[in-house]
Amino acid sequence: MSLYLEIPELHSAFPFRTFINDGWEIVYPHWHKEIEVIYCLTGTVKLGAFGEIFELAEGEIFFFPSGEPHFFLASPDSKRIVFQFDLRFFYEQNNLVTSDRTLLQLFDEAPNYSQQWPLLAQKNLNHLLREIFDCQETRHEGWQYGVTGLLTQFIYALYQLPKKPNVKQNTAKENLKSRETLELLDQIFEYVEANFDSPITLAAAAKQVGFSQTYFSRFFKQKVGLPFSQYLKEYRIEQAKFLLATEHLPMSDVAAKAGFANVKTFHHVFKKTVGCAPLQYQKQLT
């Protein structure tokens, strides 16, 4: 799976949707023209955008401008509310005042991460997003008007935020470089997904993208925020946790299916990473 254009299924007359994603779900690098806002409901959400990895704590917010490539790493024990909307949602209001920034400019220039917002704005925008989600979920009569009004307030609140410092103009060259980086990461993620249950060496992973081992190690740690070996270990642990939660298999089978060489190694790594033995973890789920 390569970096792809996602086309969210939005109603043509009401181009907005919101839903909850579980942290088990890995979302590969993609982009879309719709604005996407992420609200961390529980746990810690790990996402990649603008060449960095961000870890959202409970109640924190992050948004992706139109066309910005992004992805999500496995974030176990977390949930995130996703809001997606097309800017034509505001077609009638867009550019009524020609001196104002356009909505495209607003989402390019406003700080993307709520940690960068004033405290009062954090509380206000947090409250608005929860109200928007509840409004769609309850679907009382006229709920579309409620969502429209609240989303308009959300946009107005973003206009009040200070601009990001040193906002770069998105040149074609910069966009291409960003896309190429994400395509390389996607090749690596895809390789791990397809082969995690077999031995994977640093040399083999580097070969997938045509890098030397040294450059690959530096590239991966810089872009993902942790060494490749650590990423691979965490990926296998998440696979093991999924198996423990959904199937009743001998521990030797769980270890093999998750990509560990033997039960002893699996038990040691799992306990060190998760804080308890695999069997204990499985019992806690029942």
Side-chain angles (χ1 to χ4, degrees):
M1 181 184 300
S2 60
L3 178 66
Y4 64 94
L5 168 65
E6 179 186 84
I7 304 178
E9 297 179 3
L10 305 181
H11 195 286
S12 59
F14 193 74
F16 166 87
R17 69 172 179 172
T18 181
F19 52 91
I20 292 179
N21 266 357
D22 190 274
W24 290 99
E25 185 175 350
I26 297 173
V27 180
Y28 290 92
H30 67 285
W31 63 278
H32 41 74
K33 66 183 179 65
E34 292 76 14
I35 303 297
E36 182 168 319
V37 182
I38 303 300
Y39 178 96
C40 180
L41 191 61
T42 59
T44 301
V45 173
K46 296 181 182 179
L47 60 88
F50 305 102
E52 297 183 50
I53 298 296
F54 298 87
E55 294 190 6
L56 275 62
E58 187 172 319
E60 291 188 332
I61 301 163
F62 198 99
F63 71 80
F64 309 109
S66 177
E68 178 62 37
H70 53 280
F71 60 91
F72 291 87
L73 298 173
S75 306
D77 304 318
S78 74
K79 291 184 184 296
R80 58 184 180 266
I81 305 177
V82 181
F83 302 83
Q84 294 176 335
F85 55 91
D86 194 311
L87 289 180
R88 59 191 172 86
F89 191 94
F90 302 96
Y91 180 76
E92 293 182 358
Q93 291 77 31
N94 196 17
N95 292 331
L96 285 180
V97 182
T98 56
S99 60
D100 287 351
R101 287 173 288 164
T102 66
L103 291 178
L104 281 173
Q105 289 173 323
L106 169 67
F107 281 98
D108 278 339
E109 296 177 354
N112 303 84
Y113 191 7
S114 60
Q115 278 193 1
Q116 302 163 336
W117 304 345
L119 186 58
L120 187 59
Q122 291 181 34
K123 292 180 178 179
N124 182 31
L125 287 160
N126 183 301
H127 178 70
L128 284 170
L129 288 178
R130 293 300 296 263
E131 280 200 302
I132 291 170
F133 181 78
D134 292 342
C135 192
Q136 178 178 283
E137 287 297 289
T138 54
R139 289 180 180 257
H140 295 310
E141 185 177 14
W143 68 271
Q144 295 98 331
Y145 292 103
V147 167
T148 301
L150 291 165
L151 198 54
T152 301
Q153 291 182 56
F154 180 82
I155 294 294
Y156 177 69
L158 289 182
Y159 267 112
Q160 311 314 305
L161 295 176
K163 294 181 183 180
K164 286 187 289 192
N166 304 318
V167 176
K168 292 183 179 180
Q169 296 300 317
N170 289 328
T171 65
K173 186 176 180 180
E174 288 171 339
N175 284 336
L176 180 61
K177 185 176 180 181
S178 176
R179 294 277 174 86
E180 288 175 344
T181 295
L182 284 171
E183 285 173 352
L184 290 169
L185 286 176
D186 193 57
Q187 289 179 45
I188 300 165
F189 294 156
E190 184 182 39
Y191 175 70
V192 170
E193 181 185 31
N195 298 281
F196 71 89
D197 55 350
S198 304
I200 293 179
T201 64
L202 184 66
K207 187 178 179 180
Q208 295 300 308
V209 288
F211 290 165
S212 69
Q213 293 185 50
T214 302
Y215 183 79
F216 174 80
S217 295
R218 187 165 61 248
F219 169 84
F220 192 88
K221 186 172 183 179
Q222 180 184 34
K223 301 302 180 183
V224 180
L226 68 166
F228 176 73
S229 58
Q230 180 71 18
Y231 172 80
L232 179 60
K233 181 183 75 172
E234 291 184 5
Y235 188 96
R236 285 171 167 160
I237 288 294
E238 297 313 318
Q239 293 298 321
K241 289 168 74 174
F242 180 77
L243 289 169
L244 292 169
T246 58
E247 299 186 38
H248 293 282
L249 300 170
M251 286 300 152
S252 58
D253 288 353
V254 174
K257 282 178 174 288
F260 290 91
N262 53 63
V263 177
K264 184 177 180 181
T265 299
F266 168 57
H267 188 277
H268 173 74
V269 173
F270 190 96
K271 188 172 183 179
K272 185 177 181 180
T273 304
V274 181
C276 63
L279 186 58
Q280 184 181 355
Y281 175 84
Q282 188 175 50
K283 288 180 179 179
Q284 291 174 355
L285 299 175
T286 59

